[in-house]
Every structure is written in structure tokens, then in C-alpha cells.
Amino acid sequence: MSTAEAVIFKERSGQIHRKGQEPFEMDCNRESLAGAVSQRACVFCGSRVVLYPIADALHLVHGPIGCAAYTWDIRGALSSGPALHRLSFSTDLQEIDVIFGGEEKLYRALTELIDRHHPKAAFVYSTCIVGIIGDDLESVCRRVAAEKKIPVIPVQSEGFKGNKREGYSAACKAMFRLVGTGDTTDIPPLSINILGDFNLAGELWIIRDYFKKMGVETVANITGDGRVEDIMRAHGAALNLVQCSGATVELAKMMNESFGIPFKRVSYFGVEDMAQALYDVAEFFRDKDPGIIERTRQLVKEELSVLYPELQKFRKDLEGKKAAIYVGGAFKAFSLVKAFRLLGMQVVMVGSQTGTEEDYRDLHEITDEGTIIVDDSNPLELASFLKEKECDIFVGGVKERPIAYKLGVGFCDHNHERKQPLEGFVGMLNFAREVHCSVMSPVWRFVPRRKEKA
Ligand code: SF4
């Protein structure tokens, strides 16, 4: 029995697959196993990460202070203007509120905060205890919206009612209440909305700039560097581009049904996927503006002529090194597998918190024999996979970082705490540089496990 097999709970065995085993079958999109300490966050946290980057909105967490503290400044989510989103407000529910209800406290908190900060809209998040005591968020929000003349939107994100995916869904439903309420008269025909990018380290500005060079206007960023008024007029765009499919594809589907806006799934990570995203948009607008194809080709050519020679320098050292990936949505994992391949590295483990059967089937297609594919994993499993596969680097988010460092494995943050943009062509260069720095660091020589082997 391998080390990895020794720590897999029997109930979870269907959520782990080693490429080469036949047939390919993956259980996924199911509730996390109780007691397995899933890496997933709760429903409330899922909605908070999606809505959080709307920078000129008030975000009020209706619940105990712990829920707000847990998600305070949860992502870098840079803003080019207001930064109200970076403050964490909570109604700080106490025992007395649980017994007698928290609606009046919520009303007082909302009115005071709106008077003090003058937000363009307010989002009110429901947490576990609010779901249990049954406070009527909808009616309090309606009352305050009428009094203060701004949208006040309840987010039905009671933590216990499902997994992180339900939180994404609650966030999409909340945002959809804004869409369709703004003026669209000055939006040009070549226009898009960017969905599913959270501008953790300024990526959105890189991507917007590419589209601008192609002659395409971005109407709304949903939600990185987001603005309430942009989302209100987002229904005037000709196309929705959806990255991080789990988080915002539901909003794209709702906009498609109600306003007839088509959507395309894209990724801005890695060279191939970034270029493909630009070409997909160019192709979409080809009839309206035939010149867009040539402009896009030229843009990609110029970017690659700078990028490729630089990548070759890193590739020399990284060739043959092993990488493991564990991310929130599987879509990012596809791009990362391709990005590592471009650096000459081998992906030996790849997994996600919220992938679908289709996602895992696609990952199975593009990975090498022996690669471990895992859904909704936990620290014990991940640690044993890293050891078994003798990985040189682990790519993940804030919860994966300690697993890597405790084992003496290099780490690349591809989520909340990132300070370098990793999207776009320039992002690929940043990624390669960061991977190179981490993998080639001399510090790993002093890790006891590796010293024993030497
Ligand atoms: S909503 Fe519930 S599960 Fe989520 S942080 Fe609050 S108490 Fe915890």
C-alpha cells in the first residue's frame, strides 16, 4: 500500500483517480465528507470572494464577528479608485440577537454605514446563524433601499446550506439584481464584459489593455476592480467572457437568457490560453470589424517576441522538475498544466475544490500517465501525494501554502495572497520567474527529508 493510499478515506476513493487506471471514473460535485477537513470554504465565503472586489459597494456581513473576520480582505482585489470593499463590516450578532432576532440591529447597522460611507449599493450577507434564526433579510434590505435610494441586496449565503459552489450561485443571483438597471446608450458595438477575474494583483488591467488595443471596449469587470454602475449597464455589452467558470458562469447564463448576450469561456493564464482568448474575441467581432483579426495577430506576435526568449532561460533549469496543482476551479488547472509543459515541467498531481465530471475528463485527456487527479481534497491527502510524487513545487492558494512549506516543497500562490499578476503574456513571465525562484532556491537542500536522501 502506498503512502497516499494509506491516508485516503474509503468514502473518498471515488474522488481520486490515477491516470492509467481503467476505466476513468470520478465522483465529484458532492458534499464534502464530514470530518475529512476539506480545503473548501463555506457557502458564505464563496459568495464573499465573488462579490468582494466590487469596490464602491458596502459589504455588510450579518452574523457573528468570526464570519467577517474570516473573510476580511480575503483577496488583494486591487481597485483603481474607491476601496470601500477592503473594510469589513459586521452586525456582530450576540446571544441576545439570536434569541430575539437581529433584524433591527441589521437595519441600524445598514443605515448608519450608508450615511457614513455613501456607497453606490450595499450587499448584505447571510451567515449560518441568520439562516437558523430566520431573520428576514429581504424585507430589511427593501426598507433601507427605499429610504436611502440605493440598491440594497441580500445575499442568501447561509454557510451550512451547501458547498462553496452554492456561494457562487448566491453571489450571481445578487449581482443579477443590478444588471439591466443602468443606461446603455453610449456602449459601442465591439464591447465585452469580463467575468470571473478578481484583479488580485492587477491582472484585469493587463487584460483590459489587450482588448483596448484590439479596439474592444470593456463595459464591466465582474467583479475585479468592479463598480456598481458598470454592472448595472453590463447588459449593453455584445459578449460576456467568462473565466473561473464555477464562480460566474451562472450570471453569464442568466444574462444570456434575459438579455440574449452570448458568452465564451476563456482563460488568461499561460501563453496558449491567453492567445486563444484574444483570437476567440476577434473571431466573434470579425463581421462587425474585419480588421480586428490582423490587429489581434499583431498584438500576440509582439507579445510573444518578447516573452519566448525569456522563457527559454528559465526552461533550461526547470526541465524535468515535477509540479502539483490544487486550485478552486478546474478551469485554472487546465491552463496551469499547459503552462508547466511550456516550462518543460511535468504535472504529477492536479485537483480542484469544485470541478465537474467534464472538467476532470478534460484534465485526464491532457495529463501524463500516472498523474493523480483529485476532487475536493484535504491536507492529509495532499501532503501524501506531494511526498509520494516527490514534487518540486506545489501551486495552490492560502490553505495549500503551509502544506508545501511544512514538507519543504516550493510553493507558488495562484490565489488570494498573490502580489504579482500571473495572467496575460507578462503574467506568464512572472509565473515562470516565480516558479524558477521557488524551485531553484538552495533552501530546499536543508529540508530533513531531502537531506536523508542525499
Ligand atoms: S457562515 Fe457559517 S460556516 Fe461560514 S464562516 Fe460563518 S459560521 Fe462559519
Side-chain angles (χ1 to χ4, degrees):
M1 187 181 274
S2 74
T3 322
E5 283 161 345
V7 296
I8 294 169
F9 294 105
K10 191 162 51 61
E11 297 90 329
R12 285 204 22 83
S13 55
Q15 287 170 275
I16 298 158
H17 181 84
R18 286 165 190 265
K19 183 158 175 182
Q21 285 173 347
E22 293 299 337
F24 173 74
E25 273 168 9
M26 283 284 287
D27 287 342
C28 53
N29 209 4
R30 50 192 272 188
E31 295 308 313
S32 301
L33 177 66
V37 198
S38 164
Q39 299 289 93
R40 282 175 176 166
C42 71
V43 175
F44 156 67
C45 182
S47 65
R48 188 91 168 92
V49 294
V50 174
L51 296 172
Y52 168 77
I54 304 176
D56 55 355
L58 176 82
H59 299 267
L60 174 59
V61 181
H62 188 36
I65 196 70
C67 303
Y70 166 48
T71 54
W72 185 3
D73 217 9
I74 191 161
R75 291 186 149 166
L78 300 182
S79 167
S80 55
L84 185 55
H85 66 308
R86 302 202 67 180
L87 300 178
S88 190
F89 299 110
S90 166
T91 48
D92 186 19
L93 289 183
Q94 305 287 322
E95 264 176 53
I96 194 162
D97 307 310
V98 173
I99 295 163
F100 295 106
E103 291 176 16
E104 211 34 51
K105 194 172 191 184
L106 172 61
Y107 172 78
R108 286 201 309 276
L110 261 176
T111 47
E112 183 185 332
L113 287 168
I114 292 170
D115 288 346
R116 193 183 293 181
H117 294 284
H118 310 290
K120 297 281 184 190
F123 292 100
V124 180
Y125 300 81
S126 181
T127 54
C128 285
I129 196 65
V130 170
I132 291 166
I133 63 177
D135 276 357
D136 187 352
L137 252 62
E138 189 73 53
S139 74
V140 178
C141 290
R142 208 179 309 124
R143 180 177 162 202
V144 177
E147 286 175 18
K148 300 294 174 191
K149 309 279 183 269
I150 60 163
V152 181
I153 301 170
V155 186
Q156 299 297 349
S157 54
E158 298 79 9
F160 57 74
K161 77 174 184 191
N163 61 42
K164 199 175 173 187
R165 258 181 187 278
E166 308 275 341
Y168 296 156
S169 173
C172 288
K173 287 185 182 117
M175 265 188 292
F176 191 61
R177 293 166 77 142
L178 287 175
V179 177
T181 58
D183 180 18
T184 59
T185 42
D186 60 346
I187 295 176
L190 270 61
S191 55
I192 53 167
N193 296 313
I194 299 178
L195 278 70
D197 190 286
F198 304 104
N199 205 36
L200 303 187
E203 305 67 6
L204 204 93
W205 302 325
I206 297 169
I207 306 303
R208 276 185 75 127
D209 193 48
Y210 293 153
F211 289 124
K212 193 171 168 197
K213 286 180 180 155
M214 289 163 58
V216 177
E217 182 172 313
T218 304
V219 179
N221 318 316
I222 302 174
T223 57
D225 197 14
R227 298 290 181 276
V228 171
E229 280 169 5
D230 292 345
I231 298 171
M232 290 166 88
R233 62 202 287 271
H235 60 296
L239 175 68
N240 276 334
L241 294 182
V242 185
Q243 189 180 235
C244 188
S245 49
T248 50
V249 76
E250 188 174 332
L251 179 66
K253 285 180 181 166
M254 288 192 276
M255 288 174 75
N256 183 246
E257 264 170 39
S258 302
F259 302 103
I261 306 173
F263 68 88
K264 283 187 184 293
R265 293 169 87 151
V266 293
S267 169
Y268 311 120
F269 292 112
V271 173
E272 286 171 59
D273 289 347
M274 182 65 246
Q276 192 58 49
L278 299 181
Y279 286 134
D280 283 352
V281 172
E283 195 55 45
F284 182 82
F285 289 118
R286 176 199 278 265
D287 293 343
K288 288 181 184 161
D289 177 0
I292 194 171
I293 299 285
E294 192 43 43
R295 287 200 297 279
T296 308
R297 267 197 208 122
Q298 199 53 35
L299 168 67
V300 173
K301 197 173 148 197
E302 279 168 21
E303 294 287 337
L304 292 187
S305 65
V306 179
L307 176 65
Y308 270 133
E310 291 296 316
L311 288 184
Q312 295 317 313
K313 294 180 200 164
F314 296 118
R315 193 182 157 114
K316 260 193 261 155
D317 291 332
L318 294 173
E319 193 99 49
K321 303 279 186 196
K322 293 181 194 166
I325 300 166
Y326 190 75
V327 285
F331 217 63
K332 197 190 282 180
F334 301 133
S335 303
L336 282 167
V337 170
K338 293 180 208 167
F340 275 122
R341 201 163 278 156
L342 193 62
L343 295 174
M345 295 175 68
Q346 192 197 352
V347 172
V348 289
M349 188 213 94
V350 57
S352 81
Q353 295 175 22
T354 55
T356 61
E357 199 190 333
E358 193 191 337
D359 291 333
Y360 291 122
R361 203 163 279 286
D362 290 349
L363 275 176
H364 184 255
E365 284 292 307
I366 63 169
T367 45
D368 298 325
E369 284 294 291
T371 302
I372 298 170
I373 302 172
V374 59
D375 173 63
D376 185 22
S377 195
N378 56 63
L380 208 56
E381 277 175 14
L382 292 172
S384 61
F385 294 149
L386 292 184
K387 282 196 275 187
E388 179 198 326
K389 292 290 186 181
E390 298 188 341
C391 293
D392 295 289
I393 191 161
F394 187 23
V395 181
V398 64
K399 284 173 282 182
E400 286 75 39
R401 182 193 296 273
I403 300 172
Y405 286 161
K406 280 181 190 169
L407 291 174
V409 171
F411 183 75
C412 172
D413 191 320
H414 218 284
N415 207 349
H416 306 274
E417 294 183 336
R418 166 151 50 93
K419 297 288 176 262
Q420 287 281 334
L422 301 183
E423 289 178 14
F425 301 105
V426 63
M428 180 65 206
L429 187 56
N430 290 338
F431 177 70
R433 192 178 291 123
E434 198 171 320
V435 168
H436 185 266
C437 279
S438 193
V439 169
M440 302 309 291
S441 168
V443 76
W444 308 125
R445 273 189 253 137
F446 303 103
V447 170
R449 192 165 45 85
R450 296 198 180 184
K451 260 171 49 181
E452 281 161 23
K453 283 193 137 197

mmCIF file of all heavy atoms in Angstrom, residues 194 203-216 218 278 299 303:
data_model
loop_
_atom_site.group_PDB
_atom_site.id
_atom_site.type_symbol
_atom_site.label_atom_id
_atom_site.label_comp_id
_atom_site.label_asym_id
_atom_site.label_seq_id
_atom_site.Cartn_x
_atom_site.Cartn_y
_atom_site.Cartn_z
ATOM 1 N N ILE A 194 -16.030 41.403 -18.717
ATOM 2 C CA ILE A 194 -15.048 40.401 -18.263
ATOM 3 C C ILE A 194 -15.560 39.808 -16.960
ATOM 4 O O ILE A 194 -15.608 40.492 -15.935
ATOM 5 C CB ILE A 194 -13.666 41.053 -18.070
ATOM 6 C CG1 ILE A 194 -13.170 41.627 -19.402
ATOM 7 C CG2 ILE A 194 -12.674 40.052 -17.508
ATOM 8 C CD1 ILE A 194 -11.825 42.335 -19.317
ATOM 9 N N GLU A 203 -4.259 41.978 -12.645
ATOM 10 C CA GLU A 203 -4.384 41.243 -13.915
ATOM 11 C C GLU A 203 -5.403 41.882 -14.852
ATOM 12 O O GLU A 203 -5.235 41.917 -16.067
ATOM 13 C CB GLU A 203 -4.868 39.804 -13.712
ATOM 14 C CG GLU A 203 -4.174 38.884 -12.817
ATOM 15 C CD GLU A 203 -4.210 39.194 -11.356
ATOM 16 O OE1 GLU A 203 -4.908 40.126 -10.930
ATOM 17 O OE2 GLU A 203 -3.494 38.497 -10.647
ATOM 18 N N LEU A 204 -6.468 42.353 -14.241
ATOM 19 C CA LEU A 204 -7.559 42.871 -15.050
ATOM 20 C C LEU A 204 -7.107 44.034 -15.930
ATOM 21 O O LEU A 204 -7.559 44.185 -17.063
ATOM 22 C CB LEU A 204 -8.676 43.331 -14.113
ATOM 23 C CG LEU A 204 -10.003 43.327 -14.806
ATOM 24 C CD1 LEU A 204 -10.691 42.020 -14.571
ATOM 25 C CD2 LEU A 204 -10.849 44.439 -14.325
ATOM 26 N N TRP A 205 -6.191 44.831 -15.404
ATOM 27 C CA TRP A 205 -5.718 45.987 -16.161
ATOM 28 C C TRP A 205 -4.901 45.517 -17.371
ATOM 29 O O TRP A 205 -4.930 46.133 -18.428
ATOM 30 C CB TRP A 205 -4.902 46.913 -15.245
ATOM 31 C CG TRP A 205 -5.722 47.379 -14.071
ATOM 32 C CD1 TRP A 205 -7.065 47.651 -14.092
ATOM 33 C CD2 TRP A 205 -5.303 47.584 -12.725
ATOM 34 N NE1 TRP A 205 -7.498 48.021 -12.838
ATOM 35 C CE2 TRP A 205 -6.439 48.005 -11.978
ATOM 36 C CE3 TRP A 205 -4.081 47.472 -12.059
ATOM 37 C CZ2 TRP A 205 -6.385 48.289 -10.610
ATOM 38 C CZ3 TRP A 205 -4.030 47.769 -10.703
ATOM 39 C CH2 TRP A 205 -5.169 48.174 -9.992
ATOM 40 N N ILE A 206 -4.165 44.412 -17.201
ATOM 41 C CA ILE A 206 -3.390 43.853 -18.327
ATOM 42 C C ILE A 206 -4.357 43.384 -19.420
ATOM 43 O O ILE A 206 -4.204 43.699 -20.598
ATOM 44 C CB ILE A 206 -2.524 42.658 -17.846
ATOM 45 C CG1 ILE A 206 -1.491 43.127 -16.827
ATOM 46 C CG2 ILE A 206 -1.872 41.933 -19.015
ATOM 47 C CD1 ILE A 206 -0.770 41.988 -16.101
ATOM 48 N N ILE A 207 -5.373 42.642 -18.998
ATOM 49 C CA ILE A 207 -6.318 42.046 -19.958
ATOM 50 C C ILE A 207 -7.138 43.146 -20.660
ATOM 51 O O ILE A 207 -7.330 43.120 -21.882
ATOM 52 C CB ILE A 207 -7.278 41.052 -19.240
ATOM 53 C CG1 ILE A 207 -6.488 40.007 -18.453
ATOM 54 C CG2 ILE A 207 -8.250 40.391 -20.213
ATOM 55 C CD1 ILE A 207 -5.510 39.212 -19.255
ATOM 56 N N ARG A 208 -7.593 44.100 -19.874
ATOM 57 C CA ARG A 208 -8.376 45.212 -20.468
ATOM 58 C C ARG A 208 -7.548 45.939 -21.526
ATOM 59 O O ARG A 208 -8.065 46.347 -22.568
ATOM 60 C CB ARG A 208 -8.782 46.214 -19.376
ATOM 61 C CG ARG A 208 -10.028 45.835 -18.620
ATOM 62 C CD ARG A 208 -10.408 46.936 -17.652
ATOM 63 N NE ARG A 208 -10.987 48.075 -18.348
ATOM 64 C CZ ARG A 208 -12.155 48.627 -18.062
ATOM 65 N NH1 ARG A 208 -12.880 48.148 -17.085
ATOM 66 N NH2 ARG A 208 -12.607 49.647 -18.732
ATOM 67 N N ASP A 209 -6.261 46.079 -21.227
ATOM 68 C CA ASP A 209 -5.380 46.781 -22.150
ATOM 69 C C ASP A 209 -5.245 46.020 -23.486
ATOM 70 O O ASP A 209 -5.245 46.637 -24.556
ATOM 71 C CB ASP A 209 -4.005 46.948 -21.484
ATOM 72 C CG ASP A 209 -3.154 47.938 -22.236
ATOM 73 O OD1 ASP A 209 -3.672 49.022 -22.546
ATOM 74 O OD2 ASP A 209 -1.991 47.610 -22.542
ATOM 75 N N TYR A 210 -5.155 44.691 -23.426
ATOM 76 C CA TYR A 210 -5.111 43.894 -24.674
ATOM 77 C C TYR A 210 -6.373 44.160 -25.509
ATOM 78 O O TYR A 210 -6.298 44.391 -26.711
ATOM 79 C CB TYR A 210 -5.040 42.390 -24.380
ATOM 80 C CG TYR A 210 -3.752 41.904 -23.731
ATOM 81 C CD1 TYR A 210 -3.755 40.766 -22.927
ATOM 82 C CD2 TYR A 210 -2.537 42.559 -23.936
ATOM 83 C CE1 TYR A 210 -2.595 40.311 -22.336
ATOM 84 C CE2 TYR A 210 -1.375 42.108 -23.338
ATOM 85 C CZ TYR A 210 -1.413 40.981 -22.534
ATOM 86 O OH TYR A 210 -0.267 40.525 -21.952
ATOM 87 N N PHE A 211 -7.533 44.106 -24.827
ATOM 88 C CA PHE A 211 -8.782 44.294 -25.577
ATOM 89 C C PHE A 211 -8.876 45.712 -26.138
ATOM 90 O O PHE A 211 -9.371 45.909 -27.252
ATOM 91 C CB PHE A 211 -9.994 43.954 -24.695
ATOM 92 C CG PHE A 211 -10.123 42.477 -24.434
ATOM 93 C CD1 PHE A 211 -10.161 41.966 -23.146
ATOM 94 C CD2 PHE A 211 -10.179 41.580 -25.495
ATOM 95 C CE1 PHE A 211 -10.258 40.602 -22.923
ATOM 96 C CE2 PHE A 211 -10.270 40.208 -25.281
ATOM 97 C CZ PHE A 211 -10.308 39.724 -23.990
ATOM 98 N N LYS A 212 -8.374 46.660 -25.388
ATOM 99 C CA LYS A 212 -8.390 48.044 -25.875
ATOM 100 C C LYS A 212 -7.558 48.154 -27.157
ATOM 101 O O LYS A 212 -7.967 48.787 -28.134
ATOM 102 C CB LYS A 212 -7.833 48.962 -24.783
ATOM 103 C CG LYS A 212 -8.080 50.416 -25.020
ATOM 104 C CD LYS A 212 -7.693 51.229 -23.804
ATOM 105 C CE LYS A 212 -7.664 52.697 -24.173
ATOM 106 N NZ LYS A 212 -6.939 53.488 -23.221
ATOM 107 N N LYS A 213 -6.379 47.501 -27.153
ATOM 108 C CA LYS A 213 -5.524 47.536 -28.350
ATOM 109 C C LYS A 213 -6.219 46.885 -29.543
ATOM 110 O O LYS A 213 -5.948 47.228 -30.687
ATOM 111 C CB LYS A 213 -4.199 46.826 -28.073
ATOM 112 C CG LYS A 213 -3.259 47.643 -27.195
ATOM 113 C CD LYS A 213 -1.968 46.905 -26.963
ATOM 114 C CE LYS A 213 -1.043 47.743 -26.081
ATOM 115 N NZ LYS A 213 -0.082 46.947 -25.342
ATOM 116 N N MET A 214 -7.084 45.923 -29.267
ATOM 117 C CA MET A 214 -7.832 45.265 -30.354
ATOM 118 C C MET A 214 -9.023 46.112 -30.808
ATOM 119 O O MET A 214 -9.686 45.780 -31.787
ATOM 120 C CB MET A 214 -8.363 43.902 -29.868
ATOM 121 C CG MET A 214 -7.281 42.853 -29.693
ATOM 122 S SD MET A 214 -7.856 41.468 -28.672
ATOM 123 C CE MET A 214 -9.275 40.887 -29.575
ATOM 124 N N GLY A 215 -9.344 47.157 -30.057
ATOM 125 C CA GLY A 215 -10.484 48.006 -30.417
ATOM 126 C C GLY A 215 -11.775 47.578 -29.750
ATOM 127 O O GLY A 215 -12.867 47.912 -30.219
ATOM 128 N N VAL A 216 -11.664 46.808 -28.648
ATOM 129 C CA VAL A 216 -12.859 46.306 -27.959
ATOM 130 C C VAL A 216 -12.987 47.016 -26.614
ATOM 131 O O VAL A 216 -12.030 47.062 -25.836
ATOM 132 C CB VAL A 216 -12.754 44.775 -27.733
ATOM 133 C CG1 VAL A 216 -13.955 44.259 -26.954
ATOM 134 C CG2 VAL A 216 -12.626 44.051 -29.066
ATOM 135 N N THR A 218 -14.351 47.431 -22.802
ATOM 136 C CA THR A 218 -14.851 46.629 -21.678
ATOM 137 C C THR A 218 -15.900 47.459 -20.924
ATOM 138 O O THR A 218 -15.606 48.552 -20.457
ATOM 139 C CB THR A 218 -13.703 46.251 -20.717
ATOM 140 O OG1 THR A 218 -12.695 45.568 -21.469
ATOM 141 C CG2 THR A 218 -14.192 45.345 -19.600
ATOM 142 N N LEU A 278 -7.925 35.897 -26.898
ATOM 143 C CA LEU A 278 -7.941 37.086 -27.764
ATOM 144 C C LEU A 278 -8.472 36.733 -29.160
ATOM 145 O O LEU A 278 -9.284 37.463 -29.732
ATOM 146 C CB LEU A 278 -6.534 37.681 -27.867
ATOM 147 C CG LEU A 278 -5.898 38.159 -26.545
ATOM 148 C CD1 LEU A 278 -4.514 38.747 -26.794
ATOM 149 C CD2 LEU A 278 -6.768 39.182 -25.835
ATOM 150 N N LEU A 299 -0.781 41.936 -32.176
ATOM 151 C CA LEU A 299 -0.629 42.064 -30.715
ATOM 152 C C LEU A 299 0.029 40.807 -30.130
ATOM 153 O O LEU A 299 0.996 40.881 -29.370
ATOM 154 C CB LEU A 299 -2.011 42.295 -30.088
ATOM 155 C CG LEU A 299 -2.139 42.180 -28.566
ATOM 156 C CD1 LEU A 299 -1.370 43.286 -27.873
ATOM 157 C CD2 LEU A 299 -3.599 42.244 -28.142
ATOM 158 N N GLU A 303 3.840 40.438 -28.386
ATOM 159 C CA GLU A 303 3.997 39.955 -27.001
ATOM 160 C C GLU A 303 4.895 38.712 -26.962
ATOM 161 O O GLU A 303 5.764 38.601 -26.099
ATOM 162 C CB GLU A 303 2.617 39.625 -26.392
ATOM 163 C CG GLU A 303 1.706 40.814 -26.205
ATOM 164 C CD GLU A 303 2.143 41.721 -25.050
ATOM 165 O OE1 GLU A 303 2.851 41.251 -24.148
ATOM 166 O OE2 GLU A 303 1.777 42.912 -25.070
#
